Amino acid sequence: MIKIGTIQELREQLRPYRHQKIGLVPTMGYLHEGHLSLVKKARETCDIIVMSIFVNPLQFGPGEDFERYPRDIARDEQLAEKEGVDILFTPSVEEMYPSPVKTTVHVKGITDTLCGASRPGHFDGVATVVSKLFHIVQPDYAFFGQKDAQQVAVIEQMVQDLNMPVDIIPCPIVREADGLAMSSRNVYLSPEEREQATVLYQSMQEAKRKIEQGESDAFRIRSLIMQKIREKKLAEIDYVEVLTYPGLEPIADIGGKRIIIALAVKFGQTRLIDNMIFNL
Ligand code: PAF
């Protein structure tokens, strides 16, 4: 595995491989099985796999966890190499943003809801850095975890609207044995918070059972999930929504649609997100 910190060196390294299939796995590091599943998927289709590790300040709001976001580059290097990453791109903030940013990417509409409503500006930061990474790496394929389902919808929209020549490959959520979706932020949880956090998956599983039994009222599904989450005393709901996917429009009756159940719940300082997508 080659480790690269500058844009120029990355472009030079990739030049001989331009006729091959290049895959990009963009991450913010502190790798877990979820990230590694993206690399595994990339290996099915790509000749060269580039993984980026960059904690992007542009997508963190004031008072969010940019400074304390978990970082362990030595461990990440080992995991990436073991999984078969060919090039690990770890630019500094100065390398990615040498001067204050005057150009950003804003995807309208679908960024106004869910995490976009709770974290104003977050998706502008994501779309801008992903757009930069696409221009730098020029991948044929880019791999994203479906845990960030709204992020996937935003990036797919950006790629379509701006004719970016890259195929977006969404990959399934990877969960711990008790159902908690893998996330770099899970390390923030105290043992008690960690135990109670399993309610996210459990509440969606219960909703899934109800849907399979014929429940199609979005309001009732949402209420059921909220009630279940509120049983946990450390859980503070940010949002629970049942929307169309990928359009993220509110709906009353979910019958015959592709929908997402999306949750964001805080445990102390830690905000966790999770979702399930259904084709009904
Ligand atoms: O999903 C993430 O880790 C980040 O939002 C991404 C896509 C790497 C952009 O910084």
Side-chain angles (χ1 to χ4, degrees):
M1 186 178 77
I2 305 167
K3 297 169 219 163
I4 295 179
T6 67
I7 295 166
Q8 191 189 341
E9 200 191 336
L10 180 63
R11 286 195 167 133
E12 276 162 21
Q13 278 292 342
L14 284 172
R15 195 163 298 131
Y17 300 107
R18 282 288 162 215
H19 59 289
Q20 299 194 32
K21 292 282 173 233
I22 298 175
L24 172 65
V25 179
T27 80
M28 298 205 300
Y30 212 71
L31 302 180
H32 51 67
E33 283 301 325
H35 298 113
L36 302 179
S37 75
L38 305 180
V39 178
K40 284 192 185 85
K41 185 72 189 165
R43 284 172 56 183
E44 290 173 15
T45 37
C46 301
D47 304 306
I48 300 289
I49 302 173
V50 180
M51 174 186 274
S52 59
I53 295 183
F54 179 62
V55 184
N56 172 35
L58 225 58
Q59 69 189 74
F60 290 80
E64 289 189 354
D65 58 345
F66 172 69
E67 299 295 343
R68 69 180 191 116
Y69 193 85
R71 294 160 168 92
D72 187 344
I73 194 68
R75 181 175 157 276
D76 286 352
E77 281 176 9
Q78 280 180 9
L79 289 171
E81 179 150 33
K82 195 157 157 247
E83 204 56 62
V85 169
D86 298 294
I87 298 179
L88 188 66
F89 178 50
T90 57
S92 64
V93 172
E94 295 70 34
E95 179 70 11
M96 289 296 277
Y97 303 115
S99 56
V101 175
K102 292 185 181 157
T103 308
T104 59
V105 180
H106 176 69
V107 178
K108 277 201 274 189
I110 54 172
T111 55
D112 293 340
T113 183
L114 304 178
C115 292
S118 308
R119 305 181 65 190
H122 168 69
F123 286 113
D124 290 2
V126 170
T128 303
V129 80
V130 170
S131 164
K132 281 169 74 79
L133 289 167
F134 286 176
H135 284 105
I136 293 164
V137 177
Q138 296 174 33
D140 299 282
Y141 300 94
F143 299 82
F144 294 88
Q146 195 67 43
K147 184 173 84 72
D148 298 300
Q150 189 176 14
Q151 171 170 280
V152 170
V154 168
I155 291 166
E156 281 179 336
Q157 188 68 50
M158 172 183 82
V159 162
Q160 184 186 316
D161 288 346
L162 300 181
N163 302 94
M164 294 179 170
V166 52
D167 279 350
I168 303 302
I169 314 290
C171 301
I173 298 176
V174 179
R175 299 183 179 279
E176 303 282 357
D178 61 8
L180 181 68
M182 291 205 183
S183 162
S184 306
R185 290 189 169 102
N186 289 351
V187 291
Y188 297 151
L189 298 167
S190 71
E192 204 186 347
E193 289 167 348
R194 170 66 186 80
E195 203 205 308
Q196 296 197 9
T198 54
V199 74
L200 272 71
Y201 184 60
Q202 287 163 4
S203 66
M204 288 192 297
Q205 286 282 79
E206 210 165 298
K208 182 169 180 255
R209 278 192 292 274
K210 284 272 184 252
I211 292 168
E212 283 164 359
Q213 287 162 14
E215 178 62 83
S216 73
D217 183 297
F219 181 80
R220 279 206 292 270
I221 295 165
R222 188 168 168 260
S223 305
L224 171 87
I225 294 171
M226 288 171 80
Q227 197 181 330
K228 176 101 185 147
I229 294 173
R230 287 193 182 120
E231 285 169 13
K232 301 291 173 189
K233 70 175 186 350
L234 301 178
E236 187 196 324
I237 294 175
D238 178 356
Y239 63 72
V240 173
E241 297 290 353
V242 179
L243 304 173
T244 61
Y245 191 83
L248 305 183
E249 302 279 355
I251 28 157
D253 190 287
I254 64 172
K257 305 195 180 72
R258 186 168 194 229
I259 63 129
I260 183 169
I261 296 178
L263 321 178
V265 179
K266 277 181 88 174
F267 291 85
Q269 293 300 302
T270 311
R271 184 174 170 281
L272 301 179
I273 59 169
D274 203 346
N275 70 79
M276 275 189 194
I277 292 173
F278 298 81
N279 289 302
L280 295 158

